Amino acid sequence: MPSPALWRHAKPSPWNPWLIGLTGLAGLWQWLGLGYALRQWGELAALSALPVLLLTPMHWGLIHESIHGQLRLKPRANERTGRALSLWLGLPYEIMRFGHLMHHRFTRQPYDQPDISPLLADAPLASRAGRWIGYQSRLLGGMWLSELFAPLITWVPAKRLPALAHRALGADPQDEDVRRRAVMFATDPVRRRRIQRDFVVLLVALGLALWAYGPWWPVFVATFVARGVWLSIADNLPHFGVALDEPARARNFHATALGRLLVLNHHLHRVHHQYPTAPWHLLPEIDTAQPTQGPVIAYWRAVLRQFAGPLPPSSLRADTVQASPVSQAAP
């Protein structure tokens, strides 16, 4: 068995330059090329947006590699490429990087449990319905929208950020360190300037895209939002209903060969949390050397089961999770 140190410090995948080119061209087509095609050939050209949508998880996967320093070998090139790819998805790279690394450090702490409802079973129907609608809205694009507009916090006066952190992240005492780090991040002048700059670039790019599409601008908006919906659905997918004492507080899933490529092997999300700096192409090797224990369901089934609604706090107990019908479902 290879040393875990070799997994943690391996070089980026040699396929990354090709995948960066593929997803970059797909993004360029979505933002500018498709607008021209629609003007020339009409609505049939809209079908060419389907491959762009299909590549969304791969696109995010490459940004994810950049966040962990595994997209390109040189740090500056790694960051610049990740920042450019983030633009195509409307994501603020600086905020995404901070939030994702915090997710790794504080996985499934109270602020990181969007699938758990704090409401009691006998709570008023209106409260439970509101929680259910809010959760479904988060899955269907709400998470992405919150990230899209997250750069606006850099224009909020620093003295108001602690109160904003309490509202956004909750007031649970376990999350005090999370809130403190978030305020420190949001008040850092260098990061604020970078985030503001990237947001202005995004607004200019959106203006150019809408101009390029002309009367077909609803097609661009539809593709832009559709990619955001997928990002929202996939965000908490490998942590849905995961108990606090499960390994790495994450799960692995089965996926087809095409699915594995499209998600860059992050159906093996437990492996990723155990070896967060291992590049995507090594995750199957690690999983083979250290097989996952317990039931493993199909990735597409994991996508669908989230829509059952928010779970009670009791689902965070390992014995409850293992006994649930969803966990025991066959691949």
Side-chain angles (χ1 to χ4, degrees), residues 3 27 33 36 47 53 55 57 60 62 79 91 105 138 151 226 261 288 305 331:
S3 167
Y36 175 81
L47 294 176
L53 299 180
L55 289 173
W60 158 246
L62 293 173
E79 178 177 331
L91 298 175
R105 187 179 180 92
R138 184 185 191 280
L261 175 61
T288 300
R305 69 176 179 172

Side-chain angles (χ1 to χ4, degrees), residues 251-252 254 270 292-297 321-322 326-329 331:
R251 297 221 179 106
N252 291 341
H254 287 304
R270 176 181 293 176
T292 297
Q293 301 298 317
V296 180
I297 68 171
V321 174
Q322 291 171 358
V326 172
S327 297
Q328 297 294 346

Side-chain angles (χ1 to χ4, degrees), residues 110-125:
Y111 90 100
D112 194 32
Q113 298 171 5
D115 54 317
I116 304 300
S117 173
L119 299 176
L120 300 175
D122 59 352
L125 178 61

Side-chain angles (χ1 to χ4, degrees), residues 18-136:
W18 298 97
L19 300 182
I20 291 168
L22 176 63
T23 53
L25 287 174
L28 188 63
W29 176 257
Q30 176 203 3
W31 282 64
L32 296 174
L34 180 55
Y36 175 81
L38 287 166
R39 289 180 169 188
Q40 296 299 312
W41 302 301
E43 59 190 16
L44 284 178
L47 294 176
S48 64
L50 294 179
V52 176
L53 299 180
L54 190 65
L55 289 173
T56 300
M58 179 186 290
H59 193 134
W60 158 246
L62 293 173
I63 297 170
H64 179 265
E65 291 295 293
S66 173
I67 289 172
H68 287 285
Q70 286 289 3
L71 183 60
R72 300 183 66 182
L73 192 58
K74 295 183 178 180
R76 180 170 292 185
N78 177 79
E79 178 177 331
R80 287 179 174 175
T81 306
R83 195 179 296 275
L85 288 172
S86 295
L87 175 67
W88 297 129
L89 296 181
L91 298 175
Y93 180 79
E94 205 76 27
I95 294 175
M96 290 295 300
R97 178 169 58 182
F98 171 78
H100 186 74
L101 295 179
M102 289 287 286
H103 161 70
H104 272 271
R105 187 179 180 92
F106 301 103
T107 307
R108 298 298 277 169
Q109 283 198 190
Y111 90 100
D112 194 32
Q113 298 171 5
D115 54 317
I116 304 300
S117 173
L119 299 176
L120 300 175
D122 59 352
L125 178 61
S127 298
R128 286 185 282 123
R131 172 65 184 175
W132 188 89
I133 292 172
Y135 174 74
Q136 301 297 334

